[in-house]
Amino acid sequence: MWRRAAACGALALLMSACSTAAVPSAPQPAPSPPPSATTAARTPAAPATSSAPAVAWQVGARPLPRRPDGFGAVEPTPPELVNRALQTKDLLPPPAGNAYASAIGAVPAGVLARSTWQPACPVRAGDLRYLTMSFWGFDGRAHTGEMLVNASGATGITQVFGRLFAAHFPLEEMRVTGPAELTAPPTGDGNSTSAFVCRPARGQTTWSAHAYGLAVDVNPFCNPYTQGDLVLPELASAYVDRARHRPGMVRPGDATVRAFAAIGWSWGGNWRSPTDRMHFTATGH
């Protein structure tokens, strides 16, 4: 899933989508080979350039007052984020030679421990996969991100992000969501592209598609969720106007929508209420 919105108290509620399922029996332990032991695929891509100046903004620094519904107050987008292009902080070594690289492997024990997975989740740890994939940042540089997804969708997701890399579609960050983000105060400025988050669907007791690793949220701030007067992330109101095209936005029929459609995933931006522009799902929810 990125974020510091409120769902189960915080960011995870940025991502909608739900399915019901019984809690599985005790999960199988996840083996933990390093990413270097997994299969990698490379596709040439020309290096990107960026003339955008660095913007000083500390994500997550200012908690928002809460609304009666538990979400943060929807406030005007700060000037620094109206044309969002924050620098990407490298968590993993960038790809060599600006070429797309992806790896699929079992979830390393250390990664599982810092994720939101726990035994009550509706997917076994052994049925998740740890992906590392190249992406272009808003800084015009190639970076390496990480993601947990359901094993059934792992290969397709690496193909999707390979197509986005070839199209030079920018992402701010791509990382595994941690448990502290589920209870952190909403700050309304998250923008992490992510998949697996073990949580219920927004405002419900049934599991989200993210809890199965079967949904991906892409640049949530640039592609906000809206329903009535609610905007998530709460500071992303400037991006509700889809007529004003800015980098990182997902639009009907664009390369991002086509890439996910090619693997059979649908887009929440086509929904009427709510409209979940960040959300791509294998389940339709």
Side-chain angles (χ1 to χ4, degrees), residues 27-105:
Q28 299 175 352
S32 55
S36 59
T38 62
T39 302
R42 293 183 178 269
T43 302
T49 58
S50 175
S51 58
V55 175
W57 181 270
Q58 185 178 350
V59 176
R62 185 177 72 90
L64 297 169
R66 289 189 185 270
R67 297 162 34 126
D69 59 11
F71 294 100
V74 176
E75 297 184 355
T77 304
E80 299 92 330
L81 301 181
V82 169
N83 297 295
R84 187 162 179 153
L86 302 184
Q87 299 289 305
T88 295
K89 297 179 180 179
D90 284 309
L91 301 177
L92 298 171
N98 288 331
Y100 177 72
S102 66
I104 303 173

Side-chain angles (χ1 to χ4, degrees), residues 156 159-161 163-164 254-265:
Q159 294 170 352
V160 166
F161 283 92
R163 290 171 179 165
L164 298 190
D254 71 2
T256 308
V257 174
R258 294 196 308 271
F260 277 99
I263 65 168
W265 288 39

Side-chain angles (χ1 to χ4, degrees), residues 96-261:
N98 288 331
Y100 177 72
S102 66
I104 303 173
V107 184
V111 174
L112 190 69
R114 61 179 169 85
S115 77
T116 59
W117 189 87
Q118 36 89 11
C121 296
V123 63
R124 298 182 305 172
D127 290 334
L128 294 173
R129 294 294 181 267
Y130 179 62
L131 312 184
T132 57
M133 299 179 288
S134 305
F135 67 93
W136 293 110
F138 287 88
D139 53 12
R141 299 174 182 272
H143 302 274
T144 300
E146 60 172 9
M147 186 177 288
L148 294 182
V149 301
N150 194 289
S152 65
T155 298
I157 291 300
T158 62
Q159 294 170 352
V160 166
F161 283 92
R163 290 171 179 165
L164 298 190
F165 190 85
H168 284 240
F169 181 84
L171 304 172
E172 186 172 318
E173 60 175 338
M174 181 195 296
R175 60 176 175 77
V176 173
T177 301
E181 295 177 75
L182 298 181
T183 55
T187 60
D189 57 355
N191 201 27
S192 176
T193 295
S194 63
F196 172 76
V197 184
C198 189
R199 60 164 183 82
R202 183 186 64 80
Q204 301 182 34
T205 57
T206 52
W207 290 111
S208 163
H210 289 281
Y212 297 85
L214 292 172
V216 174
D217 283 351
V218 176
N219 283 342
F221 196 90
C222 303
N223 302 291
Y225 170 108
T226 53
Q227 184 172 37
D229 66 349
L230 179 63
V231 179
L232 298 175
E234 293 94 335
L235 298 183
S237 296
Y239 279 88
V240 175
D241 178 4
R242 307 309 281 179
R244 183 181 174 192
H245 186 219
R246 282 152 286 179
M249 292 172 64
V250 178
R251 304 176 75 187
D254 71 2
T256 308
V257 174
R258 294 196 308 271
F260 277 99

